[in-house]
Amino acid sequence: MNWEPVIGLEIHIHLKTRTKMFCRCEVAYFEPENTRTCPVCLAYPGSLPVPNATAVEWTIKLGLALDCEIAEHAVFHRKNYFYPDNPKGYQISQYDEPLCVNGRLALPGPDGDAEIGIVRAHLEEDAAKNVHVGGAEGRIGGATATLVDFNRAGTPLVEIVTQPDLRSADQARRFLQLLRQTVVELGISDAEMQKGSLRFDVNVSVRPEGSDELRTRTELKNLNSFAFAAKAIQREVERQVAVYGSGGEVVQETLHFDPGAESAPPLRSKEEAQDYRYFPEPDLVPLEPPRELVGRILEGLPESPATRIRRLAAGLDHDLAEDLVTSGRDRLYERVPGDRRAVANVLMNQFAAAGVDPEAANPEELGRLIEARSRIPREKLTEALAASGDPGFSAEQYLGDGLVADTAELEPIVERIIEANPGQVEAYRGGKEGLLGFFVGQVMKETQGKADPRVVNELLRQKLS
Amino acid sequence: MAITRDEVLHVARLARLELRDDEVERFTEQLSAILEAVAKVSELDLTGVEPTAHPLDLLNVWAEDVPRPCLPQGDALANAPDHEAGFFKVPPI
Amino acid sequence: MIDTLRLTAEEAMGLLERREVSAAELHRAYLDAIGERDSELHAYLRTVEEPEGKGVPIAFKDLISTRGVETTAGSKILSGYLPVYDATVATRCKAAGMSLLGKTNMDEFAMGSSTENSAFGPTRNPWDLERVPGGSSGGSAAAVAAGLAPWALGSDTGGSVKQPASLCGIVGLRPTYGTVSRYGIVAFASSLDQIGPMTKTVRDNALLYRILAGRDPEDTTTVELPNPVEIPEREDLKGIRVGVPRELNEAEGIEPGVKEIAQRTIELCRELGAEVGETSLPRSVDYGLACYYLIAPSEASSNLARYDGVRYGLRVNGSNVREMYDRTRDAGFGDEPKRRIMLGTYALSAGYYEAYYGQAQKVRTVIADEHAAAFENFDVLVSPTSPTVAFKLGEKAENPLAMYLSDVLTIPSNIAGLPGLSIPCGLSDGLPVGFQLIGPQFSENTLFHVGHALERAIGFDFVPGRLK
């Protein structure tokens, strides 16, 4: 029996607005604890939420980039539960009337696009940060106290939920990369996992290949990188297949991974169904995004990464096209003249290694370098690439037809010229210093202009004195 | 009984209220009477009636993304029953 | 010698303007009166010694956040809590020069109709110390009635300004929902709570409302007033159409004495030139209480979740966070908040939402529509404010449902977000009877006009008999 994975993702991204979702505290990372708070995000008695206009606009922008329908009437709901990082005892979120629904992200692949459905994208606020102290470092078990920092509480969060359309761990990884890329290019989020501005959970189940049933799924939480997630998903898929294979049943569970210890096996828990008692937020009025605003945002959307991958893949290996786009080097690629594969390869390898900002590099000069790369010694090419982002960079000095500055090469020529012109040597030594130019000219003639004049000058002065 | 003792214990749990035994007894009786009274709303056939979430027909009220000064850490912690090194401190989860 | 029992806020303003008295002297006069009479009334939870403004002093119900001044909402769970910010209404009063006299007693979290649910002991009615002042703004009402404040702010969710005003013989306005900011007001039921002025006269009420009202960017459920507040002058009611909803005026439980005085007042409207007619609110009164006691506790169950011992207020420790929550909330909340939290949690819970909360929100639409229909033919609807005069302390305290019935006449218009003004219109057995004027949204000017005209014609003496 062949099994296929059925994978869905729930992604949370921080919007990089200046202020929080429901108050005007400045959003800041890595600031001293509880220095970015106010009565609203601390949930003091009597405080009230005021939505961030930019957060609403950027959620619409993201929804449009994901081909979603933007709701004509959207509502904030309260999600009620108790936890120390949830100061109001409820989170302001969205429930059955979210801002964006029914979208899709085309994931270009070597065999064509895989269309991954987006169930919804909605706007909510992030919780505060709990630090568990006293027990095993950072883990909940055995802690003696919990310390809470409310700086993060209230940061705008967009939650994106996909359909369970992903069919492999690797596809899930590539989807995450593409989604991240899309979000970053829209300018609405840094989407960096280490910073905490992108988080995701994975739902995994398996089913017999070809069937359309949906079996019990497990949830993977706290995965700290795309690569690790791919590994964890793969392992879970294999585990589930083995369970079914031995006649067992997969049990609904949540696997909590430890972001600090990748190899540690996850803690397994059976999460009790929570009754969040959702009801419309009475302190906030509904949103009806004006169609004219939605239209304007739609028109201003940049060309999506998926579209660009597809375009580049017409003339390049798919994986290379995808790498160029997801690494942010595709725009440079399109402007650098020359053989497409050569340019792509250098950009993804040696240029990438040089660590130069693609925006700073001069495309024409890079093109010349790349064209001449077989004629340039390796160290020279590395040096050239490292400098390619400097203002006024010119490939000239690094090219194979570059000036010869090697004294070992030039010395014999200089000596020959000196020997062949005794009269001028005597005249120069007699005080006619202007004759230096004559000697330089002779060396240049001899080397067809390829000698480095400064080195020639230096050598001549040495030998003529 | 419009609400059973178990149901009272359940909502008390959801609402993080630790009730004593005699309280459970008394509240079950009182809540039952109240629930019976409020259940009156279900006498009305209101299919097709839109619910009113807000008395006023307001829409799209929001504020520009411009920062305002935050509370100094001292003010944030001013009423904290327990705090340590700038954090609010609570018993372990 | 300032006679605080008689002095209206408007008169106090006059004294200040003419420099016959200083703000400090005025503040002192009220503190002296409080010293004299409040030990038997317990209207105040705490007073402020130093006058801060140059204007007429004012008392605030203790759910209004006052920076640096303890704010408890009548609950143990907020005992000792010092807000680090001012409510918008406090800021506006301060900006108008008013200085804070103190914080007044209230039913815990505004849940109650007698102020007996205060965690700090009840307040007594200045007209009869064995009786309740009404609630939940009982402290503010008693303070104004007993000359312990020229005016005060209360809050009204199911009738908590109107009903105590009625029981204490003073004027109370519940404004159109959305015209007074809730920022800084300890929340009970978000879609119903409004801060309301409590005063000796209708003109005072209009003066105070004018200072408070208007859109607040900190509260997205507020709006600008379509028209400026007018301080009433006219003493006749020509051109006003007064509607008498039969369900409000014949509801079960209205005492005969109350009914009689209300009817006399309706007659007075006619004499002053109003067109008076009967009307009907077929389902609003019948289903109003049930609707309210589903919506309000549901919203409250969520609004009170923040009282968890983490960031402020009472904390009772536990070996883990869960225990801390349970013990803190059990020790900190009184019976009425516990009941309403559980009721609300139940009404919102999975499987029950549609039948309870969902259905109540639909009943709300019905009630709003019925009032709107009545207002097509009338400018103001009238009824008694409370079915009874002040009842005895302890009389209803053990019976929640009986207590809830105190609000049967004030609740329906509240659910529709409509303004209501209660003015004293007579005495029954020596105790004040209140007359309720209900108007469409933003009709406060009409309510003030009608209220003022009636007030002048009735000539009710707002000084409690036993204090004269």
Side-chain angles (χ1 to χ4, degrees), chain A residues 42-43 45-46 78 80 87 275 283, chain C residues 85 182 184 302-303 311-312 350:
Chain A
L42 279 175
R78 290 191 186 180
N80 297 281
D275 183 358
D283 289 328
Chain C
Y85 75 108
R182 291 180 299 114
S302 181
N303 284 330
R311 288 145 288 116
Y312 46 77

Side-chain angles (χ1 to χ4, degrees), chain A residues 39 42-51 78 80 82-84 87-90 150 275 277-280 282-284, chain C residues 65 81 84-85 182-185 190 217-221 302-303 305-307 311-312 325 329 345 348-350 353 357:
Chain A
L42 279 175
Y44 269 126
S47 57
L48 293 173
V50 180
R78 290 191 186 180
N80 297 281
F82 286 88
Y83 210 60
K88 294 187 287 294
Y90 56 87
F150 289 90
D275 183 358
R277 306 183 296 290
Y278 285 99
F279 69 101
D283 289 328
L284 293 174
Chain C
S65 297
Y81 165 64
V84 298
Y85 75 108
R182 291 180 299 114
Y183 181 69
I185 308 306
S190 315
E218 308 300 335
D219 176 352
T220 65
T221 62
S302 181
N303 284 330
R306 64 188 61 194
Y307 304 105
R311 288 145 288 116
Y312 46 77
Y325 286 155
R329 290 163 66 78
T345 304
L348 290 173
S349 62
Y353 180 96
Y357 185 79

Side-chain angles (χ1 to χ4, degrees), chain A residues 285-298:
Chain A
V285 301
L287 303 173
E288 289 192 353
R291 295 297 104 181
E292 158 293 313
L293 169 69
V294 175
R296 214 180 341 118
I297 297 173
L298 183 60

Side-chain angles (χ1 to χ4, degrees), chain A residues 20 23 77 82 116 129 158 217 240 243 265 299 306 351 453:
Chain A
K20 294 187 178 182
C23 66
H77 271 73
F82 286 88
I116 310 301
K129 222 182 274 194
V158 177
R217 60 185 198 210
Q240 289 193 14
V243 166
E299 260 171 65
F351 179 80

Side-chain angles (χ1 to χ4, degrees), chain A residues 200-217:
Chain A
F200 62 92
D201 297 327
V202 191
N203 288 314
V204 180
S205 67
V206 298
R207 68 184 175 201
E209 215 168 74
S211 91
D212 57 6
E213 52 176 308
L214 285 173
R215 295 190 172 202
T216 306
R217 60 185 198 210

